Amino acid sequence: MLDYVTDKVQDESRQGEAFAPFAGDLNHYKKRFYIESYGCQMNFADSEIVASILHNEGFGATRNIGEADLIFINTCSIREKAEQTIRKRLTEFRKLKVQKKDMLVGVLGCMAERLKSKFLEEEKLVDIVVGPDAYRSLPGLVAEAEGGQKAVNVLLSREETYADISPVRIDSNGVSAFVSIMRGCNNMCSFCVVPFTRGRERSRDPDSIIKECRDLFEQGYKEVTLLGQNVDSYYYQPAVDSPQSAVSGPITFSKLLERVALISPILRVRFSTSHPKDITDDVLHTMAKYENICKYIHLPVQSGSTRILQLMNRTYTREWYMAKVDRIRQIMPDCGISSDIITGFCTEEEQDHNDTLDIMEYSRYDFSYMFFYSERPGTLAQKRYKDDIPEEVKKKRLVEIVDAQNRLSLASNKKDIGKSFKVLIEGDSKRSEKNWTGRTSQNKVIVFPKENYELKKGDYVTVRVKDCTQATLLGEIA
Ligand code: 5AD
Ligand code: SF4
């Protein structure tokens, strides 16, 4: 249990997922590639961009690693454990490469960016190293590697948003899709390696975002999740000479959200992730105004102690965060709230830990991702503070935090018993084809019998909650 929670990554179920093949005969592609992705949703979205770039150059995707000419691994550096998982996977690729000499192995994403050409020295059988802003150069790098050179591009960019690239969505459930709206992060949370691996923040052209969302809707998708490291600081200033500039001025996140919501009332809109300091009343009012903007906010607190928050450089205090939670509940009483929590940060004392437990209680999180602190090379915390909390203490505190969250999740689900929710059907439930699984606006998973209704995935249906577990609501069609 502990191992699980200690490296609980966002969307656990997808870690290491491989890309599905394109339809049709693989033989007509010049090369076959295989991609496996780790880490955050942004990485999964990036793999879809990489697949699109490779596909346009005549490469075909395969899910069978044995038939691949190119193996890519899209990597995560957020915690040490994530990097260990990836290194283990690379040793497995190495064995394959010994058997198949002309196969190439490429490392993409945050670990590529963090380690740069050091990767090639450390992992002798890696041929290609590409950072998150350099995916357009992949076809050229593959050619270089085929010519026997070690191919590296880890240049970060201030502009790259891949705005014009249509991600390939072979692996999705056909109902919900992720749309990247910005890249990078300008916050300098002292524990976080992301600003170093993903570079400066930049926002994608809103017209390309709207077009992508509209195309998805026309293809039958019913839900888009707008993705960025810190979506609330989305800001796009149209070029001075563009006709758009005169009409609309700069586009903030709330304006963007509204434009996406207006595509269709039956297209649900979600977003992730928010930084508490940046989520504005404008955003909250826009959420409240449109029924199809889901009433759910992922609002990572990281710690409940003002002293620790300061060391983390989160730029808010405990009270400020609590006031933000109040504000959300005031504007949207039915809004779901979830969080990320780091336990055992440098100098954390029992009192700080209790403050975290207390703020969890106050915020009544429906759900949290909980981690113990993992020191990352190059971060401000690594340079300034000592990682001084013993492993056993971190683990003990993490267990307490997980227990508290389990209680809160159960209490929140129990409160829903007897209520009815509009649910977007995502597909068969994992356990039985006789049941549907879907989500409420508040992002809670709900499972219910299909009965004899003529429904299909992508449909909306009203479901009454009859029972629950800590993780799932159980209902029946109302
Ligand atoms: N150690 C532990 N957790 C971390 N996170 C980010 N950096 C670290 C780290 N060094 C967590 C934060 C963030 C989430 C994506 O990962 O909680 O919100
Ligand atoms: Fe990391 Fe903080 Fe940026 Fe999130 S907001 S990616 S935690 S630096």
Side-chain angles (χ1 to χ4, degrees):
M1 176 62 188
L2 197 62
D3 267 339
Y4 175 72
V5 291
T6 48
D7 193 42
K8 195 152 169 21
V9 254
Q10 304 220 356
D11 202 352
E12 183 91 22
S13 59
R14 300 193 67 189
Q15 297 306 306
E17 196 171 90
F19 224 83
F22 300 112
D25 181 10
L26 261 184
N27 290 323
H28 76 261
Y29 293 110
K30 63 179 181 195
K31 292 258 173 192
R32 296 154 200 203
F33 68 93
Y34 168 96
I35 309 185
E36 217 171 82
S37 307
Y38 292 83
C40 61
Q41 288 161 343
M42 202 77 189
N43 258 12
F44 284 77
D46 280 4
S47 291
E48 297 181 339
I49 287 171
V50 167
S52 174
I53 291 171
L54 291 172
H55 191 223
N56 290 341
E57 289 291 318
F59 296 85
T62 171
R63 205 179 227 169
N64 176 359
I65 196 166
E67 65 176 18
D69 307 298
L70 299 158
I71 297 182
F72 292 109
I73 183 162
N74 199 349
T75 61
C76 171
S77 286
I78 200 113
R79 282 168 291 277
E80 200 186 339
K81 185 89 182 285
E83 291 202 350
Q84 281 167 0
T85 307
I86 286 151
R87 287 201 191 267
K88 223 163 84 201
R89 199 63 189 125
L90 280 171
T91 58
E92 288 161 19
F93 295 166
R94 207 178 295 152
K95 285 183 211 142
L96 284 173
K97 200 167 151 68
V98 171
Q99 293 160 14
K100 198 171 166 186
K101 293 260 171 325
D102 52 357
M103 188 185 84
L104 299 173
V105 174
V107 177
L108 316 175
C110 288
M111 232 175 135
E113 191 63 51
R114 195 176 82 71
L115 293 161
K116 305 191 168 62
S117 51
K118 240 169 77 190
F119 224 124
L120 300 173
E121 294 148 31
E122 288 176 18
E123 303 280 346
K124 292 267 182 291
L125 293 175
V126 167
D127 308 283
I128 304 169
V129 174
V130 192
D133 286 346
Y135 296 144
R136 285 181 203 267
S137 65
L138 254 173
L141 292 168
V142 170
E144 273 180 36
E146 282 169 345
Q149 298 173 53
K150 293 284 182 189
V152 184
N153 187 349
V154 288
L155 285 176
L156 287 173
S157 156
R158 280 179 181 257
E159 284 97 35
E160 182 62 273
T161 58
Y162 301 109
D164 56 316
I165 294 180
S166 301
V168 175
R169 307 200 190 259
I170 308 288
D171 244 353
S172 91
N173 60 4
V175 176
S176 45
F178 293 106
V179 175
S180 157
I181 64 162
M182 61 192 302
R183 300 179 73 81
C185 184
N186 282 357
N187 298 317
M188 277 286 168
C189 299
S190 64
F191 51 79
C192 190
V193 76
V194 168
F196 305 96
T197 60
R198 286 191 164 268
R200 305 291 289 172
E201 189 176 289
R202 65 221 96 120
S203 297
R204 178 179 167 189
D205 180 337
D207 289 342
S208 75
I209 298 171
I210 302 298
K211 179 175 182 311
E212 189 174 325
C213 294
R214 194 172 284 136
D215 288 349
L216 284 164
F217 181 64
E218 279 163 12
Q219 287 160 34
Y221 284 83
K222 294 289 174 55
E223 183 176 87
V224 290
T225 302
L226 308 180
L227 279 187
Q229 244 72 42
N230 181 13
V231 288
D232 305 282
S233 63
Y234 179 91
Y235 186 87
Y236 191 88
Q237 179 79 59
V240 186
D241 54 0
S242 98
Q244 217 191 80
S245 135
V247 191
S248 51
I251 309 285
T252 57
F253 182 57
S254 67
K255 282 196 193 161
L256 179 74
L257 201 54
E258 179 160 42
R259 282 185 65 186
V260 180
L262 286 168
I263 291 174
S264 164
I266 59 162
L267 179 69
R268 274 188 170 177
V269 190
R270 299 186 183 277
F271 54 88
S272 186
T273 290
S274 297
H275 192 301
K277 79 173 162 58
D278 293 316
I279 188 159
T280 58
D281 269 11
D282 263 357
V283 169
L284 300 181
H285 287 303
T286 304
M287 287 177 76
K289 182 169 165 196
Y290 294 94
E291 191 268 342
N292 59 328
I293 304 181
C294 289
K295 304 297 175 279
Y296 167 68
I297 301 177
H298 184 57
L299 196 73
V301 68
Q302 312 297 0
S303 168
S305 151
T306 296
R307 187 182 70 84
I308 296 292
L309 286 169
Q310 228 158 21
L311 296 181
M312 287 178 163
N313 200 22
R314 288 291 288 179
T315 72
Y316 53 83
T317 62
R318 164 187 177 78
E319 289 72 24
W320 196 92
Y321 182 93
M322 288 157 106
K324 190 56 88 180
V325 168
D326 293 344
R327 190 75 183 137
I328 293 170
R329 296 243 150 91
Q330 194 183 357
I331 296 175
M332 290 172 288
D334 62 339
C335 191
I337 304 181
S338 61
S339 192
D340 289 347
I341 296 166
I342 299 177
T343 186
F345 189 67
C346 315
T347 79
E348 186 186 73
E349 291 179 8
E350 236 8 69
Q351 181 54 49
D352 302 308
H353 171 59
N354 288 335
D355 283 350
T356 298
L357 291 169
D358 185 78
I359 211 164
M360 291 173 74
E361 211 70 48
Y362 184 88
S363 312
R364 286 182 275 121
Y365 296 129
D366 299 297
F367 184 79
S368 290
Y369 294 98
M370 299 154 284
F371 316 98
F372 67 61
Y373 173 57
S374 163
E375 185 179 79
R376 306 310 294 135
T379 55
L380 290 179
Q382 184 257 328
K383 289 184 190 148
R384 285 188 194 156
Y385 317 121
K386 199 164 159 247
D387 180 12
D388 59 352
I389 307 303
E391 186 102 350
E392 318 80 75
V393 178
K394 285 184 182 174
K395 284 189 175 167
K396 177 193 129 307
R397 290 181 186 163
L398 186 59
V399 168
E400 287 175 19
I401 284 175
V402 170
D403 284 348
Q405 184 55 55
N406 288 347
R407 258 188 296 106
L408 290 170
S409 299
L410 184 63
S412 160
N413 283 353
K414 276 190 169 162
K415 268 179 63 182
D416 289 341
I417 294 177
K419 293 187 196 157
S420 293
F421 294 91
K422 181 169 166 185
V423 172
L424 174 60
I425 301 178
E426 288 175 9
D428 289 345
S429 96
K430 272 187 217 141
R431 294 231 179 106
S432 158
E433 281 178 14
K434 291 190 176 136
N435 292 337
W436 289 121
T437 182
R439 266 165 222 270
T440 65
S441 174
Q442 290 74 13
N443 207 31
K444 288 188 181 177
V445 175
I446 181 158
V447 173
F448 53 98
K450 292 181 178 177
E451 298 177 50
N452 294 324
Y453 295 96
E454 288 283 318
L455 290 166
K456 56 186 186 314
K457 69 177 186 178
D459 284 346
Y460 290 98
V461 59
T462 304
V463 182
R464 188 172 334 100
V465 180
K466 293 186 69 185
D467 199 358
C468 69
T469 67
Q470 164 204 308
T472 315
L473 300 176
L474 308 166
E476 67 180 11
I477 295 171

